[in-house]
Amino acid sequence: MIYLDSAATTLQKPPSVRRAVVSAMERMASPGRGGHRPAMLAADTAFACREAAAELFHLPDPENVIFTLNATHALNIAIKSLVKPGDTVVVSGYEHNAVTRPLSALGCRIKVARAPLFDREGILAAFDQEITEEVSCVISTHVSNVFGFILPLEEIAGLCRERRIPFILDASQSAGALNVHMDELGCAFIGMPGHKGLYGPQGTGLLLCGEGQTTVTLLEGGTGSLSARQEMPDFLPDRLEAGTHNVPGIAGLLEGLRFVKRRGEENILRWERELTRMAARYLARIPGVTVYAAEALEAQGGVLSFSLENLDCEEVGERLGQRGIAVRAGLHCAPYAHESAGTEVRGTVRASFSDFNTSGEVKLLAQEVSRLAG
């Protein structure tokens, strides 16, 4: 199979990730639940993973790295820590439902900073206009999961710092490929999956917490600390990590982080962009195919959407799957993005790349799409 759905989860992992998962299942128990060797080995691995994440994303304190189930879990904690029911919140016009559904559940007034696809100046101007006095929080994706559109993160974060409004970043499509500098951005929280660009197992995610942030618990339970009290600990990471940890997942994520560090984010991004631009060139030559590609290199990462005028997107995705090419079709859990790009009626077919894809796979994708279009 040719796997081109890494915006959902990376399927091909470094071999070290698989080995670490198996080793953890055989050798590790629960961190903080005993002084015996299996528990201590698990605790050491968990802390090493926090340290690796803190180094990659520039957090001063590794204990501000929280293990979550996924990015959605992380973003829910962040949003519910900062946003109260009925608050006014600004989001980009490219947000995932992992952001908009929690806000909707809170009954928030959502102001959307909209701009045409790949218009970085336009979306910055939209944020500038929408961030007004009544706004209590700003939330933005770094990279659109539908189109690979890279938003002007540093400038948006700068607006928030100037106006002293807390900023939550969704780094679901950027962590592991683009520089995410917690210290420089001044984010209140950054949420990300462990199973996409960090090459960890499914069921892993990270929440990066800014210094001094108040956090709301979504779960209460055992932490291995302050066991005589009925209140959750008031310190991180224990406050947000109730119950038994996903130790095999954390061990695999540690190796994924180490792989990204060795390979280099800039090298991963360069290769993903090369594949994206190659796919865009090939697909654009096919009659009846519309490709959503940026002219400026800095505006797009390793995600490319396209559509065929004579076929429904879901049908294209199904037919490509039958021919051994895994893509995703539809609205991709991101209706705001499709509304911004004008694709909300039909959706798109999405090809998304990782460091393990090849130029030969891109050529085969184009060949199969050409057959479908013909």
Side-chain angles (χ1 to χ4, degrees):
M1 170 178 281
I2 295 172
Y3 186 81
L4 302 177
D5 196 20
S6 290
T9 192
T10 47
L11 182 62
Q12 297 100 329
K13 312 288 186 183
S16 59
V17 171
R18 293 192 293 273
R19 290 194 297 267
V21 171
V22 172
S23 177
M25 293 179 70
E26 294 173 343
R27 302 168 59 223
M28 298 183 195
S30 294
R33 270 69 171 182
H36 50 76
R37 179 167 175 75
M40 296 303 293
L41 185 56
D44 290 345
T45 299
F47 190 71
C49 190
R50 295 189 210 276
E51 285 186 313
E55 180 183 2
L56 188 64
F57 301 113
H58 307 277
L59 274 76
D61 189 349
E63 294 191 344
N64 282 15
V65 176
I66 307 301
F67 297 123
T68 62
L69 299 173
N70 43 51
T72 299
H73 181 195
L75 290 166
N76 267 265
I77 295 173
I79 290 167
K80 289 165 186 176
S81 293
L82 290 179
V83 179
K84 299 185 295 297
D87 277 1
T88 298
V89 178
V90 175
V91 304
S92 82
Y94 293 88
E95 293 310 306
H96 191 278
N97 282 341
V99 167
T100 57
R101 283 181 172 173
L103 294 176
S104 178
L106 288 169
C108 293
R109 179 191 174 210
I110 303 175
K111 299 177 72 178
V112 184
R114 293 194 186 277
L117 185 58
F118 302 123
D119 184 354
R120 287 164 59 88
E121 291 184 4
I123 204 161
L124 180 60
F127 270 104
D128 188 21
Q129 179 178 326
E130 297 295 346
I131 302 175
T132 50
E133 289 183 359
E134 77 277 15
V135 171
S136 62
C137 184
V138 174
I139 309 173
S140 180
T141 187
H142 192 174
V143 179
S144 166
N145 73 304
V146 182
F147 300 103
F149 176 25
I150 301 174
L151 279 66
L153 171 61
E154 290 79 9
E155 292 85 350
I156 295 168
L159 288 175
C160 295
R161 291 195 304 271
E162 289 170 11
R163 298 174 195 187
R164 298 185 179 181
I165 295 175
F167 179 41
I168 298 172
L169 175 65
D170 177 0
S172 293
Q173 301 298 332
S174 60
L178 287 165
N179 182 40
V180 178
H181 200 303
M182 181 81 169
D183 238 7
E184 290 183 359
L185 293 170
C187 295
F189 296 100
I190 301 176
M192 63 185 68
H195 62 96
K196 297 185 184 182
L198 299 181
Y199 296 95
Q202 290 97 321
T204 61
L206 296 172
L207 176 65
L208 313 182
C209 302
E211 289 296 325
Q213 286 297 327
T214 301
T215 55
V216 171
T217 59
L218 298 186
L219 292 173
E220 292 79 38
T223 60
S225 59
L226 304 182
S227 295
R229 292 174 48 180
Q230 289 305 295
E231 302 80 23
M232 287 294 288
D234 59 0
F235 53 86
L236 298 177
D238 294 33
R239 179 168 178 76
L240 299 177
E241 292 182 359
T244 301
H245 290 77
N246 176 9
V247 174
I250 291 168
L253 178 55
L254 171 58
E255 290 304 319
L257 288 162
R258 287 171 172 170
F259 167 78
V260 170
K261 181 70 174 178
R262 288 193 305 271
R263 178 81 172 92
E265 294 164 295
E266 66 285 353
N267 294 320
I268 292 172
L269 178 62
R270 186 181 301 115
W271 181 239
E272 290 181 0
R273 274 181 168 159
E274 185 172 334
L275 295 175
T276 301
R277 294 177 81 82
M278 182 186 301
R281 287 196 305 272
Y282 290 157
L283 292 172
R285 296 170 187 163
I286 303 170
V289 174
T290 300
V291 180
Y292 299 90
E295 292 185 7
L297 182 66
E298 67 275 10
Q300 190 169 16
V303 178
L304 181 72
S305 268
F306 63 94
S307 61
L308 279 68
E309 65 181 11
N310 62 335
L311 284 175
D312 180 78
C313 288
E314 298 282 0
E315 186 175 352
V316 174
E318 184 177 346
R319 289 195 187 183
L320 287 173
Q322 291 169 351
R323 299 177 187 202
I325 299 177
V327 295
R328 185 172 176 186
L331 295 182
H332 315 95
C333 301
Y336 279 33
H338 287 282
E339 290 167 11
S340 295
T343 55
E344 68 271 24
V345 175
R346 298 185 64 209
T348 62
V349 182
R350 182 188 72 188
S352 50
F353 307 98
S354 82
D355 199 51
F356 291 93
N357 289 121
T358 67
S359 57
E361 291 174 332
V362 170
K363 292 176 183 177
L364 287 171
L365 168 68
Q367 289 172 10
E368 292 301 330
V369 172
S370 181
R371 291 190 181 99
L372 292 176

